[in-house]
Amino acid sequence: QSFIEARGANVHYGEKQALFDINLDIEEKRVTALIGPSGCGKSTFLRAINRMNDLIPICRFDGSLQIAGQEVYDPAVDVVALRAQVGMVFQKPNPFPKSIFENVAYGLKIHGMTSSKTEMADRVEWSLKSAGLWDEVADRLEQPGNSLSGGQQQRLCIARTVAVEPKVILMDEPCSALDPIATAKVEDLIDSLRKDFTIVIVTHSMQQAARISQRTAFFHLGKLIEVGDTSDVFTNP
Ligand code: ADP
Ligand code: ADP
């Protein structure tokens, strides 16, 4: 079922057009991979979904982008609430300069999602378990997030995103700073998250798209050139 719908979406950086007339349906509770050569507009499209592009003053969106029937670029949209509903994981793990516990608790506090200390602790534990990290950090929750390995830090960032229970998780090349073993763990994690979340992932790796996605969208020079079930698009010659 289509959950995110882009219709006639264009993005400009000043005079330069980065995306041209994108029409794309993204289905609920599946992993959609955005793939294509560097500079083709994958990250720009990803950042359009939760209006992260708004942070770039010269960046302009026009066209339609709806999530669950809601127009994301409607001026009445609360962008802070939108970004809680549509979480983001970046290429380079970027834990807050806080403890492991606080990294996960922070979003819960900001969004006023917990009323008691025990509820907070329970949610932090649930989030770390969801990210497959609990067993590795349960005895060191007060240590700084950046004391973890790179792969653990990335899973911490995923736990932090999962904690606020978004509908959608956007991931921008989440494994490209990781070694193969850490990459495999994050890929397994992405696969397990798809039962609860709609995931959109930018990757430059066809192999990764084939391993973890159900749908693949190919971009080239700012245009969407093909989209289909991953099992079909990678078997066609
Ligand atoms: P990637 O291919 O991994 O997205 P890039 O090197 O294309 O990495 O971009 C890295 C950062 O630089 C991004 O935040 C992107 O928005 C910004 N960027 C890319 N191209 C330009 C540009 N022409 N002018 C200013 N910033 C840019
Ligand atoms: P990809 O993620 O596929 O590598 P991007 O979305 O980062 O591609 O970039 C698409 C185009 O938009 C590129 O030409 C890039 O230089 C340009 N671009 C990206 N970010 C910026 C920015 N902050 N300012 C100006 N141009 C940008």
Side-chain angles (χ1 to χ4, degrees), residues 136-152:
E136 293 162 57
V137 302
D139 60 353
R140 50 190 296 199
L141 294 174
E142 296 313 320
Q143 291 179 24
N146 68 9
S147 65
L148 298 170
S149 73
Q152 288 173 323

Side-chain angles (χ1 to χ4, degrees), residues 13 16 18 37-45 47 56 58 202:
Y13 293 99
K16 184 188 153 65
S38 184
C40 68
K42 307 179 294 293
S43 302
T44 297
F45 183 76
R47 293 193 307 253
I56 303 169
I58 59 168
V202 166

Side-chain angles (χ1 to χ4, degrees), residues 70-202:
Q70 286 278 92
E71 192 63 56
V72 166
Y73 286 84
D74 187 318
V77 163
D78 174 347
V79 178
V80 174
L82 171 71
R83 299 213 183 109
Q85 287 296 298
V86 186
M88 194 148 191
V89 176
F90 298 88
Q91 180 169 344
K92 209 167 158 285
N94 57 348
F96 303 131
K98 295 171 180 292
S99 70
I100 293 167
F101 184 93
E102 285 298 327
N103 260 276
V104 183
Y106 185 74
L108 298 171
K109 290 179 183 169
I110 291 293
H111 296 290
M113 290 182 66
T114 50
S115 50
S116 72
K117 275 208 146 62
T118 38
E119 195 189 343
M120 177 76 77
D122 286 350
R123 266 180 169 274
V124 168
E125 180 175 340
W126 171 82
S127 306
L128 287 166
K129 281 181 174 161
S130 301
L133 198 55
W134 176 252
D135 291 343
E136 293 162 57
V137 302
D139 60 353
R140 50 190 296 199
L141 294 174
E142 296 313 320
Q143 291 179 24
N146 68 9
S147 65
L148 298 170
S149 73
Q152 288 173 323
Q153 288 186 35
Q154 193 61 303
R155 284 183 286 133
L156 178 64
C157 292
I158 294 172
R160 167 176 89 184
T161 304
V162 162
V164 296
E165 296 189 75
K167 296 268 193 301
V168 180
I169 301 178
L170 308 176
M171 299 186 170
D172 197 348
E173 305 213 16
C175 299
S176 56
L178 307 182
D179 64 51
I181 292 169
T183 294
K185 284 186 184 167
V186 170
E187 289 184 355
D188 286 348
L189 172 56
I190 291 168
D191 193 55
S192 76
L193 292 174
R194 114 177 112 90
K195 72 176 171 13
D196 297 313
F197 304 98
T198 299
I199 296 173
V200 187
I201 179 171
V202 166

